[in-house]
Amino acid sequence: MHRTEHTTIAGVLLIVMSFLLVGMQGQSPDDVERRRLIEQQAKLSERIASLNHEQEYLLMQKAFYASDSKYLLLDLRSRTGKLKYRNRVLRTFAFSTTAGKRRIPRNTILKMTAKTDGNDRKKMLLFGEDLVIQSKRSSVAPGKERAAPRILIGSKDLAAIYFAVEQGTMLHTGK
């Protein structure tokens, strides 16, 4: 081999290696920074939504506090509820739900429209066509009287809440 052949082979190898090395560098710094900014923007958007939700919840509680009446808060995720007056918790309770045609509306405020009276097994708190709160031992079969979703709570909890609230009592269904 001659010297010119060695230099041309070395030149071709150098060019091939440079193309391979350029491909191995990955993305340019601008692309990496752009992706990082997009991820940061997504995180900030989630944080803004969370803060807006928290602000709405606090404004709702402030309005309930100012109304000077008792109100109910339901946390649908943890399946717990609270009967509150101003900023004091009067009663906490656990509940279950029935599987119905409609789901319990989330993040809404409902107004109690009526209470059904009778023996302990027939007492119910009605929130229009949107929700019914009744005892787990209720003799009224779910879906027989109304198609509204139902919250089932213990008999003692229902008795305490039943006599504490009145028509027009507000209820907030959380997450």
Side-chain angles (χ1 to χ4, degrees):
M1 278 196 194
H2 294 77
R3 183 170 195 153
T4 56
E5 290 177 3
H6 284 293
T7 56
T8 55
I9 291 174
V12 169
L13 283 174
L14 183 63
I15 292 173
V16 169
M17 292 297 285
S18 67
F19 279 118
L20 290 174
L21 290 176
V22 167
M24 292 176 65
Q25 282 181 346
Q27 297 177 343
S28 70
D30 291 339
D31 290 341
V32 171
E33 187 173 335
R34 173 181 276 154
R35 187 173 353 123
R36 189 174 48 97
L37 288 173
I38 289 171
E39 290 171 1
Q40 187 178 15
Q41 183 181 15
K43 287 179 184 177
L44 289 174
S45 295
E46 288 175 19
R47 179 77 173 136
I48 289 170
S50 172
L51 289 173
N52 282 336
H53 177 70
E54 186 176 343
Q55 180 183 21
E56 289 172 7
Y57 179 75
L58 291 173
L59 288 172
M60 177 270 313
Q61 279 203 311
K62 181 181 177 185
F64 283 175
Y65 179 88
S67 71
D68 195 35
S69 62
K70 296 173 187 141
Y71 57 97
L72 293 165
L73 297 176
L74 297 180
D75 184 352
L76 298 175
R77 282 188 186 162
S78 66
R79 303 246 189 243
T80 59
K82 295 177 186 174
L83 171 64
K84 292 183 83 174
Y85 174 72
R86 293 196 176 244
N87 62 349
R88 285 178 262 146
V89 176
L90 303 177
R91 182 131 189 139
T92 58
F93 55 93
F95 65 85
S96 60
T97 59
T98 60
K101 295 177 184 175
R102 294 189 296 163
R103 302 188 78 206
I104 296 172
R106 295 179 183 271
N107 293 323
T108 57
I109 297 173
L110 303 172
K111 187 181 280 191
M112 189 172 78
T113 55
K115 296 195 291 190
T116 60
D117 205 8
N119 65 19
D120 289 340
R121 292 181 181 249
K122 291 187 180 180
K123 289 182 181 169
M124 290 189 288
L125 304 175
L126 306 172
F127 294 86
E129 295 294 320
D130 297 316
L131 186 68
V132 174
I133 297 178
Q134 69 184 57
S135 169
K136 290 179 181 177
R137 296 181 178 165
S138 178
S139 60
V140 180
K144 196 172 191 177
E145 188 174 288
R146 295 182 181 267
R150 294 174 183 271
I151 299 281
L152 303 174
I153 63 176
S155 299
K156 290 181 181 179
D157 289 328
L158 180 64
I161 293 169
Y162 184 87
F163 292 110
V165 298
E166 54 197 37
Q167 188 170 343
T169 297
M170 303 302 278
L171 175 132
H172 181 265
T173 57
K175 311 170 204 172

